[in-house]
Amino acid sequence: MEPAQDRPVFRFAPSPNGYLHLGHAFSAFENQARAEAVGGRLLLRIEDIDQTRATPELEAALIADLAWLGLRFETPYFRQSEHFGDYQAVLERLMAMGVVYPAFLTRGDVRRHVEDYERSGRLWPRDPDGAPLYPATDRERSGDERAALLASGRRHAFRLDMAAALALVEEPLFWREDTDGGMVDVEADPAAWGDVVLSRSDAPSSYHLSVVTDDAAQNVTHVVRGRDLYHATAIHRLLQTLLGLKAPVYRHHRLILGADGRKLSKSNGDTALRQLRADGSSVADILVLLGI
Ligand code: GLU
């Protein structure tokens, strides 16, 4: 076998905010199959930046569920909560580029802003997930106003100034997508997301910042994940480009849908792997449910 540093690197990156469900199992098996097919390494990254929801019990359950499925990952596992300092350092690099600003609006403020705007009969723009874009209020504050708010100790997040970030990128952005029909280049449209959050008031990072930082730190060459994250890849490509990081190849696989045709969420108790197992399902039954 080739030395470890020359082998492709895959990662399965669940968030222990609830019990793993069939969708996670599919993603984990997909990663394993793709890694095996090319003699790649298979890493497990525990995405526990949301310390209000991720608990040691849920993490232990996650590891037990993966072991029950017969999936094997390299150890030690990578835990995002042990890398907050790395995310802070990357955030500071972006700040030094002038593409980050403190964001003080609460969720309620954003909702009211959108409602006020929409009362005029015009629709406020939404991101590809359907969430309203962050208003320009904080981006347009004067330096003095910003300093005063920071000095007052007001809770804030940090957001990417999308227009400023795009101005630093010369070429149109693309990512490589491994589809069933072969490798294609997909044009990335990060602007569709507006000023995304990089670090939250209740967590010293964000999904986008951590995922890009960690994929690079772990030398991930192949990101295999659900189609729900397809459009978010545009943000990841932008951050990789700003930070001079190598881009992995992406593969966004089909989602396992619930009986109601909707995406599974952690609250879907009926498709939690533990529940299926408690109800008597074997791993072979799970594979049938997943259609693999
Ligand atoms: N932690 C993310 C999730 O559970 C997946 C992140 C990724 O694969 O990029 O949805």
Side-chain angles (χ1 to χ4, degrees):
M1 194 175 282
E2 290 171 67
Q5 67 272 18
D6 296 336
R7 291 163 57 202
V9 179
F10 292 71
R11 91 300 193 271
F12 173 56
S15 306
N17 301 337
Y19 292 122
L20 294 191
H21 54 59
L22 285 174
H24 294 106
F26 184 74
S27 201
F29 279 122
E30 247 321 89
N31 269 285
Q32 185 192 51
R34 302 268 153 195
E36 269 176 8
V38 294
R41 300 167 55 199
L42 184 58
L43 311 181
L44 176 64
R45 183 161 76 225
I46 298 171
E47 301 216 323
D48 60 350
I49 49 173
D50 185 349
Q51 293 279 286
T52 59
R53 290 165 72 208
T55 63
E57 293 72 37
L58 287 170
E59 182 187 310
L62 177 158
I63 288 166
D65 289 348
L66 293 172
W68 176 64
L69 291 172
L71 290 154
R72 298 275 172 275
F73 299 89
E74 281 185 23
T75 51
Y77 307 138
F78 186 106
R79 203 175 279 113
Q80 288 189 325
S81 58
E82 292 168 2
H83 294 267
F84 285 136
D86 300 340
Y87 310 136
Q88 181 62 31
V90 172
L91 180 66
E92 283 168 15
R93 279 186 61 200
L94 293 168
M95 283 173 169
M97 291 178 201
V99 297
V100 178
Y101 64 85
F104 302 95
L105 300 189
T106 62
R107 255 174 228 211
D109 293 336
V110 174
R111 199 183 54 242
R112 277 185 294 277
H113 187 99
V114 171
E115 282 166 5
D116 285 349
Y117 181 90
E118 295 195 335
R119 229 166 270 141
S120 69
R122 282 173 300 174
L123 191 69
W124 182 261
R126 303 295 202 273
D127 71 22
D129 281 348
L133 297 195
Y134 194 71
T137 321
D138 287 317
R139 187 179 61 230
E140 289 172 350
R141 283 186 204 283
S142 69
D144 285 353
E145 209 184 333
R146 212 170 258 176
L149 280 167
L150 288 173
S152 75
R154 178 90 79 85
R155 278 170 72 88
H156 58 278
F158 285 102
R159 287 186 174 262
L160 183 71
D161 181 336
M162 183 56 78
L166 287 172
L168 296 182
V169 175
E170 280 144 29
E171 315 262 305
L173 295 171
F174 289 90
W175 80 81
R176 304 228 77 194
E177 177 82 17
D178 182 8
T179 70
D180 288 342
M183 209 60 94
V184 295
D185 286 326
V186 181
E187 183 155 5
D189 180 20
W193 292 93
D195 292 352
V196 289
V197 72
L198 295 177
S199 162
R200 294 171 11 191
S201 57
D202 59 353
S205 188
S206 70
Y207 162 62
H208 300 304
L209 185 71
S210 320
V211 83
V212 163
T213 305
D214 295 341
D215 284 338
Q218 296 188 284
N219 296 311
V220 171
T221 57
H222 292 69
V223 170
V224 175
R225 61 186 178 192
R227 273 206 78 87
D228 50 335
L229 291 168
Y230 182 85
H231 292 290
T233 310
I235 304 165
H236 304 166
R237 277 301 297 130
L238 173 60
L239 293 175
Q240 287 157 355
T241 306
L242 291 170
L243 296 163
L245 304 174
K246 263 204 220 146
V249 170
Y250 290 86
R251 178 177 177 85
H252 293 94
H253 57 67
R254 68 180 166 92
L255 298 178
I256 302 295
L257 302 176
D260 55 3
R262 306 240 313 251
K263 192 186 129 191
L264 299 183
S265 76
K266 302 219 166 80
S267 49
N268 276 27
D270 53 338
T271 58
L273 294 169
R274 344 216 84 204
Q275 193 55 47
L276 293 163
R277 181 183 179 185
D279 292 345
S281 292
S282 66
V283 175
D285 297 331
I286 302 287
L287 294 177
V288 170
L289 285 173
L290 298 177
I292 52 180

